[in-house]
């Protein structure tokens, strides 16, 4: 039996996909001595090898991962950073993270040991602080002029956002489950380009004053009867992402208060758009990109044609094909259509969807592929 396992594992060397990496890791730590690279591997193979070693999280994994620490593809570097939690925090920081190229990467810090390890590394420009740590603990390890992205997650110590004024170059801020933040107005004094307001924030007070934003995500309910009452009218918003009941009371009323908006993204957990909401989308002067959760597709098609939409992205679930066929004629000028199917969906052949949008380049993405 063991010999069969070894033979099957050998047939997967090098692994080429995440699925093969998962299967190979299940064979056990003995596969570590078989893993090649990084020389002569494609980018996909390198990513799969690193994924295999990461999943094992074995003491023998570290030498394998070290071989890839200067590898440049983003997927490889993202996997190396994401597996930090499986190893001794300081050793992994010294042996791997200190050598990984940082462009495009967030460093997630989620334990006291990792917080301490950050003190021995050069500052990272993008940090995701996950957990209950005083803000000054991590602020001391951020480069005031180099810090660009910061995510604060599940942190009741975050109260006064004026502390962030110490990061004048910050461009991206995400706040999630920060239950003691009572006012977003201090962010108006910064030069943020993107703000994500995610679940668990007790209020949106002061958000209307943050007028530097070009991109905004609101993943919690917006109070009132209009988006314009709480969102920053006057900001040069190019992209607006709404989710987790954001439009339950407002619908899309007030969307026209953001005349520079080109991309609207509505996830499936927002309110199902009604006729007036589709009119807001149809009449918007700049809106050309639309992303929708499949649950939001109207069963009989939208009440208004959406002539300005050129890019359409849909995340589809089981039973949405019929709704899709009725929605397709409403976007006659869409030339880039991307369909993402959930695990529970049973998509038709690609040519079926291409036939629904004959004027467009249609790409179909099935779950797990």
């Amino acid at each position: 039996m063991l010999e069969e396992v070894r033979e099957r594992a050998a047939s997967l060397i090098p692994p080429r996909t995440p699925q093969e990496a998962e299967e190979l890791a299940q064979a056990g730590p003995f596969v570590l001595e078989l893993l090649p690279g990084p020389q002569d591997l494609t980018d996909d193979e390198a990513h799969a090898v690193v994924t295999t070693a990461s999943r094992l999280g074995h003491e023998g994994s570290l030498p394998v991962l070290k071989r890839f620490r200067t590898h440049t593809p983003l997927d490889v570097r993202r996997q190396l950073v994401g597996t930090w939690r499986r190893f001794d925090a300081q050793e992994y920081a010294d042996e791997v993270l200190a050598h990984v190229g940082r462009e495009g990467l967030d460093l997630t810090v989620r334990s006291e040991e990792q917080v301490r390890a950050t003190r021995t590394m050069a500052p990272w420009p993008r940090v995701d602080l996950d957990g209950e740590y005083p803000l000054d603990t991590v602020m001391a390890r951020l480069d005031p002029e180099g810090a660009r992205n910061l995510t604060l997650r599940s942190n009741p110590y975050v109260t006064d956002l004026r502390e962030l004024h110490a990061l004048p170059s910050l461009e991206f801020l995400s706040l999630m489950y920060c239950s003691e933040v009572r006012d977003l107005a201090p962010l108006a004094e910064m030069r943020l380009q993107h703000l994500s307001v995610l679940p668990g924030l007790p209020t949106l007070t002061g958000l209307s004053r943050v007028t530097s934003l070009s991109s905004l995500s609101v993943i919690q309910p917006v109070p009132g009867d209009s988006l314009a009452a709480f969102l920053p009218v006057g900001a040069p918003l190019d992209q607006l992402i709404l989710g987790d009941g954001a439009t339950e009371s407002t619908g899309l009323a007030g969307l026209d208060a953001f005349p520079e908006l080109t991309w609207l993204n509505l996830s499936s957990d927002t309110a199902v758009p009604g006729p007036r909401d589709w009119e807001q989308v149809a009449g918007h002067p700049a809106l050309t990109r639309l992303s929708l959760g499949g649950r939001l597709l109207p069963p009989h098609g939208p009440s208004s044609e959406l002539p300005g939409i050129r890019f359409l992205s849909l995340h589809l679930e089981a039973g949405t094909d019929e709704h899709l066929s009725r929605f397709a004629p409403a976007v006659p000028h869409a030339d880039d259509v991307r369909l993402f199917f959930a695990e529970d969906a049973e998509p038709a052949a690609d040519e079926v969807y291409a036939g629904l949008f004959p004027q467009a380049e249609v790409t179909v993405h099935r779950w797990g592929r």
Side-chain angles (χ1 to χ4, degrees):
M1 184 66 169
L2 179 59
E3 190 58 35
E4 290 180 9
V5 172
R6 288 182 179 275
E7 288 179 3
R8 173 58 181 158
S11 71
L12 295 173
I13 301 294
R16 294 173 294 279
T17 67
Q19 290 76 21
E20 289 185 359
E22 295 286 353
E23 185 177 351
L24 189 58
Q26 291 173 13
F30 79 87
V31 304
L32 290 168
E33 63 190 45
L34 305 177
L35 292 175
Q39 294 81 12
D40 302 322
L41 294 181
T42 67
D43 289 351
D44 287 342
E45 289 170 344
H47 179 226
V49 167
V50 170
T51 299
T52 301
S54 299
R55 292 291 184 269
L56 285 164
H58 185 269
E59 60 182 13
S61 298
L62 190 58
V64 176
L65 297 174
K66 284 172 60 176
R67 299 204 304 262
F68 290 84
R69 63 189 182 181
T70 59
H71 217 52
T72 57
L74 180 59
D75 282 347
V76 173
R77 293 185 289 120
R78 186 179 286 130
Q79 185 67 42
L80 288 173
V81 172
T83 200
W84 186 16
R85 59 189 171 83
R86 301 173 189 267
F87 298 88
D88 176 82
Q90 189 62 62
E91 182 181 19
Y92 196 82
D94 292 341
E95 299 295 330
V96 178
L97 296 182
H99 306 272
V100 172
R102 299 177 176 189
E103 184 178 359
L105 286 180
D106 287 14
L107 180 71
T108 297
V109 180
R110 52 166 57 95
S111 70
E112 294 284 358
E113 292 76 17
Q114 289 179 341
V115 169
R116 287 196 293 270
T118 62
R119 298 170 187 160
T120 66
M121 291 189 285
W124 282 67
R126 302 162 61 113
V127 172
D128 181 338
L129 182 65
D130 187 353
E132 301 183 4
Y133 311 104
L135 195 51
D136 58 6
T137 300
V138 72
M139 292 281 282
R141 294 306 309 145
L142 293 175
D143 178 359
E145 298 302 325
R148 295 290 186 267
N149 292 41
L150 178 62
T151 295
L152 301 172
R153 189 191 320 265
S154 302
N155 196 334
Y157 287 103
V158 179
T159 55
D160 187 351
L161 295 180
R162 284 177 294 187
E163 291 185 77
L164 298 179
H165 291 178
L167 304 175
S169 298
L170 198 66
E171 298 173 350
F172 177 107
L173 176 65
S174 180
L175 300 170
M176 177 184 288
Y177 299 113
C178 293
S179 58
E180 298 304 313
V181 173
R182 304 296 173 183
D183 188 7
L184 298 172
L187 301 179
E189 301 175 44
M190 304 180 68
R191 293 180 291 180
L192 292 177
Q193 295 180 17
H194 176 83
L195 174 65
S196 288
V197 180
L198 297 156
L201 210 68
T203 180
L204 295 179
T205 298
L207 177 57
S208 62
R209 295 175 55 185
V210 189
T211 57
S212 60
L213 302 174
S214 60
S215 176
L216 173 64
S217 300
V218 180
I219 314 299
Q220 65 177 53
V222 178
D225 57 8
S226 171
L227 296 171
F230 273 83
L231 305 192
V233 174
L237 280 186
D238 176 68
Q239 181 178 18
L240 178 61
I241 302 168
L242 300 171
D244 200 12
T247 61
E248 197 64 43
S249 66
T250 65
L252 294 179
L255 194 68
D256 54 357
F258 306 95
E260 298 179 54
L261 191 68
T262 66
W263 193 347
L264 177 65
N265 188 320
L266 303 174
S267 66
S268 280
D269 52 12
T270 54
V272 176
R276 292 186 177 179
D277 298 318
W278 289 117
E279 289 172 6
Q280 285 277 340
V281 175
H284 196 284
L287 199 61
T288 59
R289 300 168 68 89
L290 181 64
S291 298
L292 290 176
R295 192 183 67 83
L296 305 184
L297 290 177
H300 304 294
S303 55
S304 305
E305 188 177 271
L306 313 176
I309 300 303
R310 301 281 181 172
F311 170 88
L312 179 67
S313 173
L314 299 174
H315 294 256
L316 301 163
E317 303 151 15
T320 54
D321 269 17
E322 187 174 348
H323 293 181
L324 175 61
S325 66
R326 292 172 177 165
F327 184 85
V331 287
H333 303 300
D335 52 24
D336 185 348
V337 176
R338 304 180 189 184
L339 307 178
F340 299 84
F341 284 90
E343 181 180 8
D344 64 346
E346 297 181 1
D350 288 9
E351 53 266 26
V352 172
Y353 303 111
L356 295 178
F357 303 93
Q359 78 288 357
E361 179 180 346
V362 180
T363 53
V364 180
H365 306 267
R366 293 166 172 80
W367 186 86
R369 300 186 189 175

